[in-house]
DNA sequence: AAAGATTGTTGTTGACGACAACAATTGCTG
DNA sequence: CAGCAATTGTTGTCGTCAACAACAATCTTT
């Protein structure tokens, strides 16, 4: 079917530091074609998402905040008093999962659950004072991470990307 | 800090079919702001990746093939005789994980492992005859999935996206 | 008041990435 | 060429995460 010859393989590859090269960048010219994978948006997006996630984690490692935690705190900070259901729906997180996320954030005194008077089933979510100041720091680091993205794909490419995907935010 | 009022929450939301609306699209005008999240490429990419993954799974549900399986078969089909390590490196999959993927695909008679003569540690990976014809069908369905992406974000936006992320393929 | 829906919670399952350890085999180096 | 290091495939563990299901407490609807 495909035009590539059925070479019986040469497993040893280049020479010694093949590991480094191959792991460094996937699209390295290692002679392995991707065929139909090129042209599939999902594949490129998945690889990019992995890269961007790792850079975020690396950049915010000092404060031990991961993307999901950051998104939760950001939404609560911008909309104090939200229900867990509201946050979960807005961020596309399952409410079952948000429970653990909030347990962790509450344990670190960054977020607090306040029992709602109007609906005794629900909790109103707020940042603690410490949560506010911490979030400000997180945002600075997140901005730095965003600069890494710019350096990786270019400034206008990043903006174009945000524009293309604005429906999904 | 933020300019949004600290409303003590109205958990009941719209009325009855709030579930449908809120789950349907995240960026619905539910009045919940995302603050700094807008402007973060990672968030948009993550949401988009989830959408695209789900559509792929849905579109290929009849043949029970998921994105990773599809990528493995595509690479093997385009490069017969590859080592497991080579496939794992090229696709960014851990070789430990590829073992299970290949076990599954081999169990379905789509892929076969052939012991290499030159290096008795490694296996040369090939599609079976059934694997070839099946992959052709998978590719047709994957193309249909790609059309869904086009309908979602627009033709030229999809191409621009592929171009921007070409370094990651 | 009774039936149904919602909210938060707990638990289970399966997919997945990151590691570590291992046997078999190969490559490298002194 | 003998021995040590590296590679390949494999197995297993751990922690994260999404998708469910079930449950008690609490509204809402009729």
């Amino acid at each position: 079917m495909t035009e590539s010859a059925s070479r019986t393989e040469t497993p040893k590859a280049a020479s010694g530091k093949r590991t480094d090269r191959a792991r460094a960048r996937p699209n390295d010219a290692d002679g392995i074609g991707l065929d139909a994978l090129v042209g599939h948006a999902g594949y490129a997006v998945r690889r990019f998402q992995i890269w961007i996630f790792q850079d975020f984690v690396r950049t915010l490692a000092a404060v031990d905040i991961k993307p999901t935690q950051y998104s939760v705190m950001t939404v609560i900070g911008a909309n104090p008093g939200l229900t867990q259901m509201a946050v979960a729906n807005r961020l596309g997180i399952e409410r079952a999962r948000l429970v653990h996320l909030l347990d962790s954030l509450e344990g670190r005194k960054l977020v607090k659950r306040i029992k709602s008077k109007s609906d005794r089933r629900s909790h109103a979510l707020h940042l603690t004072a410490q949560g506010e100041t911490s979030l400000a720091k997180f945002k600075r680091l997140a901005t730095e991470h965003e600069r890494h993205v710019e350096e990786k794909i270019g400034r206008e490419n990043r903006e174009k990307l945000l524009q293309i995907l604005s429906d999904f935010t």
Side-chain angles (χ1 to χ4, degrees), chain A residues 48 51-52 55-56 59 141-162:
Chain A
F48 181 53
W51 181 89
I52 210 169
D55 185 85
F56 187 100
T59 307
L141 290 170
T143 303
E144 184 184 333
H145 152 70
E146 215 62 28
R147 268 197 298 273
H148 301 165
V149 177
E150 260 191 17
E151 293 167 9
K152 184 72 177 177
I153 67 176
R155 191 179 59 77
E156 57 276 348
N157 276 344
R158 177 181 162 278
E159 297 195 358
K160 183 69 178 173
L161 193 78
L162 282 171

Side-chain angles (χ1 to χ4, degrees), chain A residues 118-134:
Chain A
S118 51
D119 187 338
R120 313 217 313 276
R121 292 171 302 181
S122 64
H123 296 153
L125 300 175
H126 294 269
L127 296 183
T128 64
Q130 181 190 339
E132 300 268 11
T133 65
S134 294

Side-chain angles (χ1 to χ4, degrees), chain A residues 108-120:
Chain A
R108 292 168 63 179
K109 311 273 187 218
L110 297 173
V111 165
K112 57 188 166 191
R113 289 186 248 225
I114 301 179
K115 287 196 242 198
S116 169
K117 287 291 185 182
S118 51
D119 187 338
R120 313 217 313 276

